[in-house]
Amino acid sequence: MGGLLSMSSTATVDHSPTISLRTDLHDVHLYVVSNWVFELIHARPSMQSFQSEVLPLLISRQYRGVEAAFGPTAWKVEGNRERLGKVLKELDGATDDGAIACDKVSTLLGMYASGKMSGGLGSFLPNSDGDFPNPADELGAVTPKADPTLSGSLLCPPFPASKHAYAVSAQVLSREASSFTLRACTLPSLLYGCGAVTSQTLKLDPAASSSLVAKGATLSAKFNSILMPSCSMGEKVQTKGCTIVGGNVTLGDRSKLNNVVVMDGVSVGNNCVLQNSLVGANAKIGDNCNLRDCQVGPGAEVPSGTKTLEKGEAFHV
């Protein structure tokens, strides 16, 4: 075109490291966090999702420290200054009271999983007294009006200049290990996971598999089933298809179990057929029942002759 294209002698040299892009990796939504992250969630009550909000925040601030994760905006609220101050003292080893009680963490995660999200994740975290916090004591709270006679430095101390570094890392499992990693958030996925673990356990050498199950358990490679101790079986009982039977379970005569998880203390009547189902602890199933693709809650009683009409049917107390 009459023009002259010139190129630097170093333009074709790539000085960057090799980067591999993978499209076959999947997030199993299992996160392990430090205790201070729960204080961070408390200080930022507007965040509704750990995966889409909390995790990106932690990733973006990891090289700037814990202080940056809380941020100057949260620092303006007195309650959040106390939280961050407590966190920094714990990170410096100044106190031994850094661990959050397991019951409080379980309460937070349990309420979060139940979908009670109206107040944000932070509103579900109990305070040090075990009580749930006042929503006004949050990041979005309105700060008290300043007394003009007081200086600004007395109202709000300067934001910490320290930087406590932290790291966000991902654990990548091998193809063999990841085959047993799944979210068991539905009945089929739970049964699939139990079945996969059962099959893998039964393939092991008896000396190795004995350390994975309760002492006295019966392992049947032929029927791909595991029966826990103190399990009472009637005549002509059939178990197959990755069935797991808990302890102190009674199986009536001529019962057939296929791909079923039966928890401790369950009683199953005579001539029952259970397939692709989960039976909760201490449940009672009467005679001549035909239960397929269903779940029986803990302590529930299923009358004799009951037959499931549709997939996913549930029986509760």
Side-chain angles (χ1 to χ4, degrees), residues 103-296:
D103 58 341
K104 296 181 181 179
V105 176
S106 299
T107 299
L108 169 66
L109 298 180
M111 296 183 71
Y112 170 55
S114 69
K116 298 179 180 179
M117 305 287 292
S118 58
L121 294 181
S123 64
F124 295 141
L125 186 61
N127 57 29
S128 59
D129 297 327
D131 300 324
F132 289 99
N134 187 334
D137 188 21
E138 299 290 355
L139 177 64
V142 178
T143 55
K145 293 183 179 180
D147 187 338
T149 61
L150 299 177
S151 65
S153 60
L154 292 178
L155 286 176
C156 182
F159 188 72
S162 59
K163 185 172 73 172
H164 292 73
Y166 66 92
V168 178
S169 61
Q171 177 67 48
V172 180
L173 302 178
S174 65
R175 183 174 298 276
E176 179 180 357
S178 63
S179 63
F180 296 105
T181 305
L182 77 159
R183 288 197 301 164
C185 53
T186 64
L187 179 59
S189 62
L190 174 61
L191 293 175
Y192 174 82
C194 291
V197 173
T198 300
S199 299
Q200 188 70 14
T201 302
L202 294 174
K203 292 178 182 178
L204 298 175
D205 181 84
S209 61
S210 61
S211 62
L212 302 177
V213 297
K215 184 177 181 181
T218 302
L219 283 68
S220 174
K222 179 179 180 181
F223 298 108
N224 205 21
S225 302
I226 298 178
L227 279 67
M228 293 294 110
S230 303
C231 179
S232 176
M233 301 180 61
E235 298 181 356
K236 300 182 179 180
V237 173
Q238 298 181 18
T239 61
K240 59 180 182 179
C242 302
T243 292
I244 303 175
V245 179
N248 299 311
V249 171
T250 300
L251 302 178
D253 297 340
R254 297 173 295 281
S255 294
K256 299 179 180 180
L257 284 70
N258 182 12
N259 192 31
V260 177
V261 175
V262 181
M263 298 187 179
D264 295 346
V266 171
S267 175
V268 179
N270 300 326
N271 301 307
C272 288
V273 176
L274 278 66
Q275 181 171 326
N276 301 328
S277 299
L278 173 66
V279 183
N282 302 313
K284 295 182 179 180
I285 300 175
D287 299 335
N288 303 307
C289 290
N290 193 327
L291 307 181
R292 301 174 186 268
D293 303 290
C294 73
Q295 48 187 319
V296 180

